[in-house]
Amino acid sequence: MSEIVFVALKKPGGATLCSALPHNKSGIPIAARRLGTAHTSMLTFARDGNELWVMCGPLSVGVDLALFKPFAIDFLRPARGPGLFLMEARAIDAQRPHTTLLDFGRYSDAAVEDVIALAQGLQQVLGYVPELQDWGNDC
């Protein structure tokens, strides 16, 4: 096992983990679990080689970075519908579906600032800043 790279970042309001499991069922290493549980009010990211875990409180979701790269933060402004605002891991294999890791709730201009700060902080564990993708209005 390599050294775990870890970062705890401010959780944007309304952010929830998607497809999350309790830590003891997610396969997260105990060392990463300890780091995550020390920062329960934050979003915690831990990377060990090609494995990345996103933690919030007692829940976590894992991603095999050999299968998913790059990450992107996508938003759709509300128009007729509520819009959307999420972080996805994009599958390398075009036949595989993308994985939504975080749902930031309803789009707002104020939320964008928090999510941009989150994206900048992710460079520590991903090695790059996830791209922000503006999908326009949800007409």
Side-chain angles (χ1 to χ4, degrees), residues 98-116:
H98 300 323
T99 297
T100 301
L101 301 172
L102 290 166
D103 184 339
F104 299 110
R106 190 178 176 114
Y107 174 88
S108 74
D109 291 334
V112 171
E113 297 303 317
D114 285 341
V115 173
I116 287 172

Side-chain angles (χ1 to χ4, degrees), residues 35-75:
L35 294 170
T37 55
H39 300 276
T40 57
S41 64
M42 316 256 309
L43 284 173
T44 306
F45 299 82
R47 180 177 179 173
D48 185 9
N50 273 339
E51 295 296 321
L52 175 78
W53 294 273
V54 184
M55 298 166 274
C56 185
L59 300 175
S60 58
V61 61
V63 177
D64 182 346
L65 296 177
L67 300 175
F68 294 94
K69 188 176 182 178
F71 282 32
I73 296 173
D74 308 317
F75 59 92

